[in-house]
Amino acid sequence: MEERMDFRILNNGSFIPSIGYGTYKTGTEGETEQAVSNALSVGYRLLDTAAYYGNEEAVAKGIRASGIKRTDIIITTKIWHTDAGYDNTMRAVESSLKKLNTNYIDIMLVHQPLGDYYGSWRAMEELYDQNVLRGLGLSNFYEDRLIDLLYHCNVKPVVNQIECHPFNQRQSLLQLMRKHQVVGMAWSPFTRDRQPIFDHPIIKSLAEKYGVSKHQIILRWHIQ
């Protein structure tokens, strides 16, 4: 898997794998630790977590158990809206660093456009200049909030994490993001209620035609 991994180049010159491992609702601390370790063992190198998920410490334990070097892993985590604002974000980043057992975070996202997220962005820009945050990003920012932030920031977001899948294609948003060199990062790529997408006749027929799983068809759609 690792040898064939596709990558996306970000607007700050860094890159991320096109497929990552999300840790939302991965279970207990022990289950999350095992899941992360397993994911890394089969070739995943992008891990997504968040303060809101309450599992940053378990993710760190999974990384440690895997034996994979920290420098070979891209970690994204997020600032929850209750930590919006300059001072709160500074404390939230410090907390995430401690829980993730790392001295830097590859991409820090603003989880939602709520509260004083401009204050959060100012704090994140300072930490970016200090190389504590290697990349800044957004989550759940749609056209109006995204374009507003793009015209009022010093450091451009490298990614915007949004719900995106064949049933919710976000074409106008993705077109805007491409224009401004912001990479789309899909959450719930198989939809939130997963079973109906696997029962869709087009998905099933394509999987049969190409001799691959329905999951692979959907992931190929995302990559292309």
Side-chain angles (χ1 to χ4, degrees), residues 8 18 29 38-39 43 55 66 75 81 86 102 109-110 129 137 147 166 187-188 220 223:
R8 292 291 183 269
S18 294
E29 181 174 339
N38 289 346
N55 64 8
S66 75
I75 298 176
H81 67 84
Y86 180 92
T102 183
L109 312 181
V110 174
D129 290 339
I147 199 69
W187 59 262
S188 288
R220 175 54 58 186
I223 291 172

Side-chain angles (χ1 to χ4, degrees), residues 1-3 5 17 19 37-46:
M1 177 179 175
E2 186 177 11
E3 293 178 354
M5 183 67 76
I19 298 178
S37 180
N38 289 346
L40 291 169
S41 73
V42 299
Y44 284 94
R45 291 296 179 267
L46 170 62

